[in-house]
Short mmCIF file of all heavy atoms in Angstrom, two decimals:
data_model
loop_
_atom_site.label_atom_id
_atom_site.label_comp_id
_atom_site.label_asym_id
_atom_site.label_seq_id
_atom_site.Cartn_x
_atom_site.Cartn_y
_atom_site.Cartn_z
N MET C 1 182.82 68.49 -96.78
CA MET C 1 182.95 67.47 -97.81
C MET C 1 182.69 68.16 -99.16
O MET C 1 181.84 69.02 -99.27
CB MET C 1 181.98 66.35 -97.58
CG MET C 1 182.20 65.63 -96.31
SD MET C 1 180.98 64.33 -96.07
CE MET C 1 181.29 63.96 -94.38
N VAL C 2 183.47 67.79 -100.14
CA VAL C 2 183.35 68.37 -101.48
C VAL C 2 182.98 67.23 -102.43
O VAL C 2 183.62 66.18 -102.43
CB VAL C 2 184.67 69.02 -101.92
CG1 VAL C 2 184.53 69.59 -103.32
CG2 VAL C 2 185.08 70.11 -100.96
N MET C 3 181.91 67.46 -103.19
CA MET C 3 181.43 66.42 -104.12
C MET C 3 181.45 66.94 -105.56
O MET C 3 180.91 67.99 -105.84
CB MET C 3 180.00 65.99 -103.74
CG MET C 3 179.89 65.39 -102.39
SD MET C 3 178.21 65.01 -101.86
CE MET C 3 177.37 64.62 -103.33
N ASP C 4 182.01 66.13 -106.43
CA ASP C 4 182.04 66.43 -107.86
C ASP C 4 180.76 65.92 -108.50
O ASP C 4 180.40 64.75 -108.37
CB ASP C 4 183.25 65.73 -108.48
CG ASP C 4 183.43 66.00 -109.96
OD1 ASP C 4 182.57 66.67 -110.57
OD2 ASP C 4 184.42 65.55 -110.51
N GLN C 5 180.04 66.80 -109.19
CA GLN C 5 178.80 66.39 -109.87
C GLN C 5 178.94 66.61 -111.38
O GLN C 5 177.94 66.68 -112.09
CB GLN C 5 177.61 67.20 -109.35
CG GLN C 5 177.25 66.88 -107.95
CD GLN C 5 176.00 67.64 -107.51
OE1 GLN C 5 175.84 68.81 -107.80
NE2 GLN C 5 175.14 66.95 -106.80
N SER C 6 180.17 66.67 -111.89
CA SER C 6 180.37 66.90 -113.30
C SER C 6 180.02 65.61 -114.09
O SER C 6 179.84 64.52 -113.52
CB SER C 6 181.82 67.30 -113.56
OG SER C 6 182.69 66.23 -113.24
N THR C 7 179.94 65.75 -115.39
CA THR C 7 179.58 64.60 -116.23
C THR C 7 180.62 63.47 -116.15
O THR C 7 180.29 62.32 -116.45
CB THR C 7 179.41 65.04 -117.69
OG1 THR C 7 180.59 65.68 -118.16
CG2 THR C 7 178.22 65.96 -117.84
N SER C 8 181.84 63.79 -115.76
CA SER C 8 182.85 62.72 -115.63
C SER C 8 182.47 61.71 -114.57
O SER C 8 182.98 60.58 -114.55
CB SER C 8 184.23 63.31 -115.34
OG SER C 8 184.25 63.89 -114.03
N MET C 9 181.60 62.09 -113.66
CA MET C 9 181.16 61.19 -112.61
C MET C 9 180.26 60.08 -113.12
O MET C 9 179.96 59.13 -112.41
CB MET C 9 180.47 61.96 -111.47
CG MET C 9 181.39 62.90 -110.75
SD MET C 9 182.81 62.12 -110.00
CE MET C 9 182.05 61.37 -108.56
N ASN C 10 179.83 60.15 -114.40
CA ASN C 10 179.05 59.09 -115.02
C ASN C 10 179.92 57.94 -115.50
O ASN C 10 179.43 56.89 -115.86
CB ASN C 10 178.23 59.65 -116.19
CG ASN C 10 177.15 60.58 -115.73
OD1 ASN C 10 176.58 60.39 -114.65
ND2 ASN C 10 176.85 61.59 -116.53
N GLN C 11 181.26 58.16 -115.53
CA GLN C 11 182.16 57.09 -115.94
C GLN C 11 182.07 55.92 -115.02
O GLN C 11 181.84 56.05 -113.83
CB GLN C 11 183.60 57.61 -116.01
CG GLN C 11 183.84 58.66 -117.02
CD GLN C 11 185.26 59.24 -116.94
OE1 GLN C 11 186.01 58.92 -116.01
NE2 GLN C 11 185.61 60.09 -117.89
N ARG C 12 182.27 54.75 -115.60
CA ARG C 12 182.19 53.50 -114.81
C ARG C 12 183.55 53.10 -114.30
O ARG C 12 184.57 53.24 -114.98
CB ARG C 12 181.63 52.36 -115.67
CG ARG C 12 180.25 52.64 -116.21
CD ARG C 12 179.26 52.49 -115.13
NE ARG C 12 177.92 52.92 -115.58
CZ ARG C 12 176.87 52.87 -114.84
NH1 ARG C 12 176.95 52.41 -113.58
NH2 ARG C 12 175.71 53.28 -115.26
N LEU C 13 183.58 52.59 -113.09
CA LEU C 13 184.79 52.04 -112.50
C LEU C 13 184.95 50.60 -112.95
O LEU C 13 184.04 50.05 -113.59
CB LEU C 13 184.69 52.14 -110.97
CG LEU C 13 184.55 53.57 -110.41
CD1 LEU C 13 184.25 53.50 -108.92
CD2 LEU C 13 185.79 54.38 -110.69
N GLN C 14 186.03 49.98 -112.60
CA GLN C 14 186.28 48.59 -113.05
C GLN C 14 185.17 47.61 -112.63
O GLN C 14 184.86 46.69 -113.34
CB GLN C 14 187.60 48.09 -112.51
CG GLN C 14 188.79 48.70 -113.25
CD GLN C 14 190.10 48.09 -112.77
OE1 GLN C 14 190.20 47.56 -111.66
NE2 GLN C 14 191.14 48.23 -113.58
N GLY C 15 184.57 47.86 -111.49
CA GLY C 15 183.50 46.98 -111.02
C GLY C 15 182.17 47.23 -111.68
O GLY C 15 181.19 46.51 -111.43
N GLY C 16 182.07 48.26 -112.55
CA GLY C 16 180.84 48.57 -113.26
C GLY C 16 180.02 49.67 -112.63
O GLY C 16 179.09 50.19 -113.22
N GLN C 17 180.35 50.05 -111.40
CA GLN C 17 179.64 51.11 -110.71
C GLN C 17 180.13 52.45 -111.21
O GLN C 17 181.32 52.62 -111.48
CB GLN C 17 179.89 50.96 -109.20
CG GLN C 17 179.14 51.89 -108.32
CD GLN C 17 179.46 51.67 -106.83
OE1 GLN C 17 180.58 51.34 -106.48
NE2 GLN C 17 178.45 51.84 -106.00
N SER C 18 179.21 53.42 -111.28
CA SER C 18 179.62 54.77 -111.72
C SER C 18 180.41 55.45 -110.59
O SER C 18 180.28 55.08 -109.41
CB SER C 18 178.42 55.61 -112.09
OG SER C 18 177.68 55.96 -110.95
N LYS C 19 181.20 56.43 -110.98
CA LYS C 19 181.93 57.20 -109.96
C LYS C 19 180.95 57.90 -109.02
O LYS C 19 181.21 58.00 -107.82
CB LYS C 19 182.82 58.24 -110.65
CG LYS C 19 184.01 57.66 -111.37
CD LYS C 19 184.82 58.78 -112.02
CE LYS C 19 186.02 58.30 -112.72
NZ LYS C 19 186.80 59.43 -113.35
N ALA C 20 179.83 58.39 -109.56
CA ALA C 20 178.82 59.07 -108.75
C ALA C 20 178.23 58.13 -107.71
O ALA C 20 178.04 58.51 -106.55
CB ALA C 20 177.73 59.65 -109.63
N ALA C 21 177.93 56.90 -108.10
CA ALA C 21 177.37 55.93 -107.16
C ALA C 21 178.40 55.58 -106.09
O ALA C 21 178.05 55.44 -104.92
CB ALA C 21 176.92 54.66 -107.89
N PHE C 22 179.66 55.45 -106.48
CA PHE C 22 180.73 55.16 -105.53
C PHE C 22 180.85 56.29 -104.51
O PHE C 22 180.92 56.06 -103.28
CB PHE C 22 182.04 54.91 -106.24
CG PHE C 22 183.19 54.63 -105.33
CD1 PHE C 22 183.34 53.37 -104.76
CD2 PHE C 22 184.11 55.62 -105.01
CE1 PHE C 22 184.39 53.09 -103.92
CE2 PHE C 22 185.15 55.35 -104.15
CZ PHE C 22 185.31 54.09 -103.60
N LEU C 23 180.85 57.53 -105.00
CA LEU C 23 180.93 58.70 -104.14
C LEU C 23 179.76 58.74 -103.17
O LEU C 23 179.92 59.02 -101.98
CB LEU C 23 180.98 59.99 -104.94
CG LEU C 23 180.96 61.28 -104.16
CD1 LEU C 23 182.17 61.40 -103.21
CD2 LEU C 23 180.93 62.48 -105.12
N SER C 24 178.57 58.45 -103.68
CA SER C 24 177.39 58.44 -102.84
C SER C 24 177.51 57.39 -101.71
O SER C 24 177.17 57.68 -100.55
CB SER C 24 176.15 58.14 -103.69
OG SER C 24 175.00 58.03 -102.92
N ASP C 25 177.99 56.22 -102.05
CA ASP C 25 178.18 55.18 -101.04
C ASP C 25 179.19 55.59 -99.97
O ASP C 25 178.95 55.42 -98.78
CB ASP C 25 178.66 53.87 -101.68
CG ASP C 25 177.57 53.16 -102.48
OD1 ASP C 25 176.38 53.52 -102.31
OD2 ASP C 25 177.93 52.29 -103.26
N VAL C 26 180.29 56.19 -100.42
CA VAL C 26 181.33 56.64 -99.45
C VAL C 26 180.76 57.74 -98.54
O VAL C 26 180.97 57.70 -97.33
CB VAL C 26 182.57 57.13 -100.20
CG1 VAL C 26 183.54 57.84 -99.26
CG2 VAL C 26 183.27 55.98 -100.91
N LEU C 27 180.06 58.70 -99.12
CA LEU C 27 179.49 59.77 -98.32
C LEU C 27 178.46 59.24 -97.32
O LEU C 27 178.49 59.60 -96.15
CB LEU C 27 178.83 60.84 -99.22
CG LEU C 27 178.20 62.02 -98.53
CD1 LEU C 27 179.26 62.79 -97.73
CD2 LEU C 27 177.55 62.93 -99.55
N ASN C 28 177.57 58.34 -97.75
CA ASN C 28 176.59 57.76 -96.84
C ASN C 28 177.24 56.96 -95.73
O ASN C 28 176.84 57.06 -94.58
CB ASN C 28 175.60 56.89 -97.62
CG ASN C 28 174.64 57.69 -98.42
OD1 ASN C 28 174.32 58.83 -98.08
ND2 ASN C 28 174.15 57.16 -99.52
N LYS C 29 178.26 56.19 -96.05
CA LYS C 29 178.95 55.39 -95.02
C LYS C 29 179.69 56.30 -94.04
O LYS C 29 179.70 56.03 -92.82
CB LYS C 29 179.92 54.41 -95.66
CG LYS C 29 179.20 53.26 -96.35
CD LYS C 29 180.16 52.36 -97.09
CE LYS C 29 179.39 51.28 -97.85
NZ LYS C 29 180.27 50.45 -98.67
N THR C 30 180.28 57.39 -94.54
CA THR C 30 180.97 58.33 -93.65
C THR C 30 179.97 59.00 -92.69
O THR C 30 180.23 59.07 -91.51
CB THR C 30 181.69 59.40 -94.51
OG1 THR C 30 182.64 58.76 -95.34
CG2 THR C 30 182.40 60.39 -93.61
N LEU C 31 178.84 59.45 -93.22
CA LEU C 31 177.83 60.06 -92.37
C LEU C 31 177.28 59.06 -91.34
O LEU C 31 177.08 59.40 -90.18
CB LEU C 31 176.70 60.63 -93.20
CG LEU C 31 177.07 61.86 -94.04
CD1 LEU C 31 175.92 62.24 -94.97
CD2 LEU C 31 177.48 63.03 -93.20
N TYR C 32 177.08 57.83 -91.77
CA TYR C 32 176.60 56.79 -90.86
C TYR C 32 177.61 56.56 -89.72
O TYR C 32 177.24 56.46 -88.55
CB TYR C 32 176.36 55.49 -91.63
CG TYR C 32 175.91 54.35 -90.74
CD1 TYR C 32 174.59 54.25 -90.32
CD2 TYR C 32 176.81 53.38 -90.31
CE1 TYR C 32 174.20 53.22 -89.48
CE2 TYR C 32 176.45 52.35 -89.50
CZ TYR C 32 175.11 52.27 -89.09
OH TYR C 32 174.72 51.25 -88.26
N THR C 33 178.89 56.52 -90.09
CA THR C 33 179.93 56.32 -89.08
C THR C 33 179.97 57.46 -88.10
O THR C 33 180.10 57.25 -86.90
CB THR C 33 181.31 56.16 -89.77
OG1 THR C 33 181.25 55.00 -90.64
CG2 THR C 33 182.42 55.97 -88.76
N ILE C 34 179.86 58.70 -88.59
CA ILE C 34 179.86 59.86 -87.74
C ILE C 34 178.67 59.77 -86.74
O ILE C 34 178.82 59.98 -85.56
CB ILE C 34 179.78 61.17 -88.53
CG1 ILE C 34 181.11 61.40 -89.25
CG2 ILE C 34 179.43 62.35 -87.65
CD1 ILE C 34 181.08 62.54 -90.25
N ILE C 35 177.50 59.45 -87.26
CA ILE C 35 176.31 59.39 -86.41
C ILE C 35 176.43 58.27 -85.38
O ILE C 35 176.14 58.49 -84.19
CB ILE C 35 175.05 59.20 -87.28
CG1 ILE C 35 174.78 60.46 -88.09
CG2 ILE C 35 173.84 58.84 -86.42
CD1 ILE C 35 173.73 60.33 -89.17
N THR C 36 176.87 57.09 -85.79
CA THR C 36 176.99 56.00 -84.82
C THR C 36 178.04 56.28 -83.78
O THR C 36 177.88 55.90 -82.60
CB THR C 36 177.27 54.66 -85.52
OG1 THR C 36 178.42 54.75 -86.32
CG2 THR C 36 176.09 54.21 -86.35
N ASN C 37 179.13 56.96 -84.16
CA ASN C 37 180.18 57.29 -83.19
C ASN C 37 179.70 58.37 -82.19
O ASN C 37 180.23 58.47 -81.09
CB ASN C 37 181.45 57.75 -83.87
CG ASN C 37 182.20 56.61 -84.50
OD1 ASN C 37 182.03 55.47 -84.12
ND2 ASN C 37 183.03 56.92 -85.46
N CYS C 38 178.72 59.15 -82.58
CA CYS C 38 178.18 60.21 -81.73
C CYS C 38 177.00 59.72 -80.91
O CYS C 38 176.47 60.44 -80.06
CB CYS C 38 177.75 61.40 -82.54
SG CYS C 38 179.11 62.26 -83.34
N SER C 39 176.55 58.50 -81.15
CA SER C 39 175.37 57.96 -80.45
C SER C 39 175.77 57.44 -79.09
O SER C 39 176.67 56.62 -78.95
CB SER C 39 174.73 56.83 -81.26
OG SER C 39 174.25 57.34 -82.49
N LYS C 40 175.08 57.92 -78.09
CA LYS C 40 175.28 57.47 -76.71
C LYS C 40 173.94 57.01 -76.18
O LYS C 40 172.91 57.14 -76.82
CB LYS C 40 175.84 58.62 -75.86
CG LYS C 40 177.11 59.23 -76.40
CD LYS C 40 178.25 58.24 -76.45
CE LYS C 40 179.47 58.91 -77.10
NZ LYS C 40 180.45 57.95 -77.53
N ALA C 41 173.92 56.49 -74.97
CA ALA C 41 172.70 55.98 -74.38
C ALA C 41 171.59 56.99 -74.33
O ALA C 41 170.41 56.68 -74.47
CB ALA C 41 172.97 55.43 -73.00
N ASP C 42 171.96 58.26 -74.14
CA ASP C 42 170.93 59.31 -74.00
C ASP C 42 170.62 60.03 -75.34
O ASP C 42 169.90 61.01 -75.35
CB ASP C 42 171.38 60.35 -72.94
CG ASP C 42 172.69 61.03 -73.29
OD1 ASP C 42 173.45 60.48 -74.09
OD2 ASP C 42 172.96 62.11 -72.75
N GLY C 43 171.16 59.52 -76.41
CA GLY C 43 170.87 60.12 -77.73
C GLY C 43 172.15 60.42 -78.52
O GLY C 43 173.25 60.02 -78.12
N VAL C 44 172.00 61.13 -79.60
CA VAL C 44 173.11 61.49 -80.45
C VAL C 44 173.70 62.80 -79.96
O VAL C 44 172.98 63.80 -79.82
CB VAL C 44 172.69 61.61 -81.93
CG1 VAL C 44 173.85 62.03 -82.80
CG2 VAL C 44 172.07 60.30 -82.43
N ARG C 45 175.00 62.81 -79.69
CA ARG C 45 175.67 64.01 -79.20
C ARG C 45 176.03 64.95 -80.35
O ARG C 45 176.26 64.51 -81.47
CB ARG C 45 176.96 63.63 -78.46
CG ARG C 45 176.76 62.66 -77.31
CD ARG C 45 176.31 63.37 -76.06
NE ARG C 45 175.99 62.47 -74.97
CZ ARG C 45 176.85 62.02 -74.07
NH1 ARG C 45 178.12 62.38 -74.14
NH2 ARG C 45 176.47 61.20 -73.14
N ASP C 46 176.11 66.21 -80.06
CA ASP C 46 176.40 67.25 -81.06
C ASP C 46 177.90 67.47 -81.13
O ASP C 46 178.43 68.48 -80.68
CB ASP C 46 175.66 68.54 -80.70
CG ASP C 46 175.80 69.60 -81.75
OD1 ASP C 46 176.21 69.29 -82.88
OD2 ASP C 46 175.49 70.75 -81.45
N TYR C 47 178.63 66.49 -81.69
CA TYR C 47 180.08 66.60 -81.79
C TYR C 47 180.57 67.19 -83.10
O TYR C 47 181.65 67.74 -83.17
CB TYR C 47 180.74 65.23 -81.65
CG TYR C 47 180.61 64.57 -80.30
CD1 TYR C 47 180.38 63.20 -80.20
CD2 TYR C 47 180.72 65.29 -79.14
CE1 TYR C 47 180.29 62.58 -78.97
CE2 TYR C 47 180.63 64.67 -77.88
CZ TYR C 47 180.42 63.33 -77.82
OH TYR C 47 180.33 62.70 -76.60
N PHE C 48 179.80 67.01 -84.16
CA PHE C 48 180.25 67.41 -85.51
C PHE C 48 179.21 68.28 -86.19
O PHE C 48 178.01 68.14 -85.96
CB PHE C 48 180.47 66.16 -86.40
CG PHE C 48 181.56 65.28 -85.95
CD1 PHE C 48 181.28 64.15 -85.17
CD2 PHE C 48 182.87 65.54 -86.29
CE1 PHE C 48 182.29 63.31 -84.75
CE2 PHE C 48 183.88 64.70 -85.88
CZ PHE C 48 183.59 63.58 -85.11
N HIS C 49 179.67 69.13 -87.02
CA HIS C 49 178.83 69.90 -87.96
C HIS C 49 179.33 69.53 -89.35
O HIS C 49 180.55 69.58 -89.60
CB HIS C 49 178.94 71.40 -87.70
CG HIS C 49 178.32 71.80 -86.42
ND1 HIS C 49 177.38 72.78 -86.32
CD2 HIS C 49 178.49 71.34 -85.16
CE1 HIS C 49 177.00 72.92 -85.08
NE2 HIS C 49 177.67 72.05 -84.34
N VAL C 50 178.43 69.14 -90.22
CA VAL C 50 178.81 68.66 -91.55
C VAL C 50 178.41 69.67 -92.60
O VAL C 50 177.26 70.14 -92.61
CB VAL C 50 178.15 67.29 -91.82
CG1 VAL C 50 178.45 66.82 -93.22
CG2 VAL C 50 178.59 66.27 -90.79
N GLY C 51 179.32 69.98 -93.49
CA GLY C 51 179.03 70.85 -94.62
C GLY C 51 179.40 70.13 -95.90
O GLY C 51 180.40 69.42 -95.95
N VAL C 52 178.55 70.25 -96.91
CA VAL C 52 178.79 69.61 -98.20
C VAL C 52 178.75 70.69 -99.27
O VAL C 52 177.81 71.48 -99.31
CB VAL C 52 177.73 68.52 -98.46
CG1 VAL C 52 177.96 67.90 -99.85
CG2 VAL C 52 177.74 67.45 -97.41
N VAL C 53 179.77 70.68 -100.13
CA VAL C 53 179.78 71.57 -101.28
C VAL C 53 179.84 70.66 -102.50
O VAL C 53 180.70 69.81 -102.63
CB VAL C 53 181.02 72.50 -101.27
CG1 VAL C 53 181.07 73.32 -102.56
CG2 VAL C 53 181.03 73.38 -100.05
N ALA C 54 178.85 70.83 -103.37
CA ALA C 54 178.78 70.04 -104.61
C ALA C 54 179.03 70.97 -105.76
O ALA C 54 178.51 72.09 -105.79
CB ALA C 54 177.41 69.39 -104.73
N TYR C 55 179.86 70.54 -106.71
CA TYR C 55 180.17 71.41 -107.82
C TYR C 55 180.07 70.66 -109.15
O TYR C 55 180.19 69.44 -109.21
CB TYR C 55 181.58 71.99 -107.68
CG TYR C 55 182.67 70.97 -107.76
CD1 TYR C 55 183.28 70.66 -108.97
CD2 TYR C 55 183.09 70.28 -106.63
CE1 TYR C 55 184.28 69.73 -109.05
CE2 TYR C 55 184.08 69.36 -106.70
CZ TYR C 55 184.67 69.06 -107.91
OH TYR C 55 185.65 68.11 -107.98
N SER C 56 179.80 71.40 -110.19
CA SER C 56 179.70 70.87 -111.54
C SER C 56 180.01 71.98 -112.52
O SER C 56 179.19 72.88 -112.69
CB SER C 56 178.32 70.29 -111.82
OG SER C 56 178.19 69.89 -113.15
N GLY C 57 181.18 71.99 -113.10
CA GLY C 57 181.55 73.06 -114.02
C GLY C 57 181.63 74.37 -113.30
O GLY C 57 182.35 74.53 -112.34
N ARG C 58 180.82 75.34 -113.72
CA ARG C 58 180.84 76.67 -113.10
C ARG C 58 179.83 76.83 -111.97
O ARG C 58 179.75 77.87 -111.35
CB ARG C 58 180.60 77.73 -114.16
CG ARG C 58 181.71 77.81 -115.18
CD ARG C 58 181.35 78.86 -116.22
NE ARG C 58 182.45 78.97 -117.15
CZ ARG C 58 183.13 80.08 -117.35
NH1 ARG C 58 182.84 81.16 -116.71
NH2 ARG C 58 184.12 80.10 -118.22
N THR C 59 179.00 75.84 -111.74
CA THR C 59 177.99 75.95 -110.70
C THR C 59 178.40 75.20 -109.45
O THR C 59 179.17 74.25 -109.50
CB THR C 59 176.62 75.38 -111.20
OG1 THR C 59 176.80 74.01 -111.50
CG2 THR C 59 176.14 76.13 -112.42
N ARG C 60 177.87 75.60 -108.33
CA ARG C 60 178.12 74.91 -107.09
C ARG C 60 176.88 75.07 -106.20
O ARG C 60 176.11 76.02 -106.35
CB ARG C 60 179.36 75.41 -106.39
CG ARG C 60 179.22 76.79 -105.83
CD ARG C 60 180.52 77.22 -105.12
NE ARG C 60 180.33 78.47 -104.44
CZ ARG C 60 180.37 79.66 -105.02
NH1 ARG C 60 180.62 79.76 -106.31
NH2 ARG C 60 180.17 80.76 -104.33
N ALA C 61 176.74 74.18 -105.27
CA ALA C 61 175.65 74.25 -104.30
C ALA C 61 176.23 73.88 -102.94
O ALA C 61 177.09 73.02 -102.84
CB ALA C 61 174.53 73.27 -104.69
N THR C 62 175.75 74.54 -101.93
CA THR C 62 176.20 74.21 -100.57
C THR C 62 175.04 73.71 -99.76
O THR C 62 173.91 74.17 -99.90
CB THR C 62 176.81 75.43 -99.86
OG1 THR C 62 175.83 76.48 -99.81
CG2 THR C 62 178.06 75.92 -100.58
N VAL C 63 175.32 72.75 -98.93
CA VAL C 63 174.31 72.19 -98.04
C VAL C 63 174.97 72.08 -96.67
O VAL C 63 175.99 71.42 -96.52
CB VAL C 63 173.87 70.80 -98.50
CG1 VAL C 63 172.84 70.23 -97.53
CG2 VAL C 63 173.30 70.88 -99.89
N PHE C 64 174.40 72.75 -95.69
CA PHE C 64 174.93 72.62 -94.33
C PHE C 64 173.84 71.97 -93.50
O PHE C 64 172.72 72.42 -93.45
CB PHE C 64 175.29 74.01 -93.77
CG PHE C 64 176.43 74.64 -94.53
CD1 PHE C 64 176.20 75.57 -95.51
CD2 PHE C 64 177.72 74.24 -94.24
CE1 PHE C 64 177.23 76.12 -96.20
CE2 PHE C 64 178.77 74.79 -94.94
CZ PHE C 64 178.53 75.72 -95.93
N ARG C 65 174.21 70.86 -92.88
CA ARG C 65 173.25 70.10 -92.13
C ARG C 65 173.85 69.71 -90.79
O ARG C 65 174.98 69.27 -90.71
CB ARG C 65 172.89 68.86 -92.92
CG ARG C 65 171.84 68.05 -92.23
CD ARG C 65 171.40 66.96 -93.16
NE ARG C 65 170.31 66.28 -92.51
CZ ARG C 65 169.61 65.38 -93.07
NH1 ARG C 65 169.82 65.03 -94.29
NH2 ARG C 65 168.61 64.82 -92.42
N ARG C 66 173.07 69.85 -89.80
CA ARG C 66 173.49 69.46 -88.47
C ARG C 66 173.16 67.98 -88.23
O ARG C 66 172.05 67.54 -88.49
CB ARG C 66 172.72 70.32 -87.44
CG ARG C 66 173.21 70.19 -86.06
CD ARG C 66 172.49 71.18 -85.22
NE ARG C 66 172.85 70.98 -83.85
CZ ARG C 66 172.41 71.72 -82.86
NH1 ARG C 66 171.60 72.75 -83.12
NH2 ARG C 66 172.78 71.46 -81.65
N VAL C 67 174.14 67.23 -87.82
CA VAL C 67 173.94 65.80 -87.54
C VAL C 67 173.38 65.67 -86.14
O VAL C 67 173.97 66.12 -85.17
CB VAL C 67 175.26 65.02 -87.63
CG1 VAL C 67 175.06 63.57 -87.27
CG2 VAL C 67 175.83 65.17 -89.06
N GLU C 68 172.17 65.11 -86.05
CA GLU C 68 171.52 64.93 -84.75
C GLU C 68 171.07 63.51 -84.59
O GLU C 68 170.77 62.84 -85.46
CB GLU C 68 170.33 65.86 -84.63
CG GLU C 68 170.76 67.31 -84.59
CD GLU C 68 169.63 68.27 -84.30
OE1 GLU C 68 168.69 67.87 -83.63
OE2 GLU C 68 169.71 69.39 -84.74
#
């Protein structure tokens, strides 16, 4: 997943929510869906590996997290 963290993400959408808040909601819902789809009676299965790259101008940060 690639996330924009530039100042343009402070702009408001028609509903009044910032682009950053909208992106955060979408990312959280996506991760929730992945986790619930991987959940079985005996626990969460290791079906996916999630990587996130966040960028802002010339800087970037990577976060690799295992969904369990």
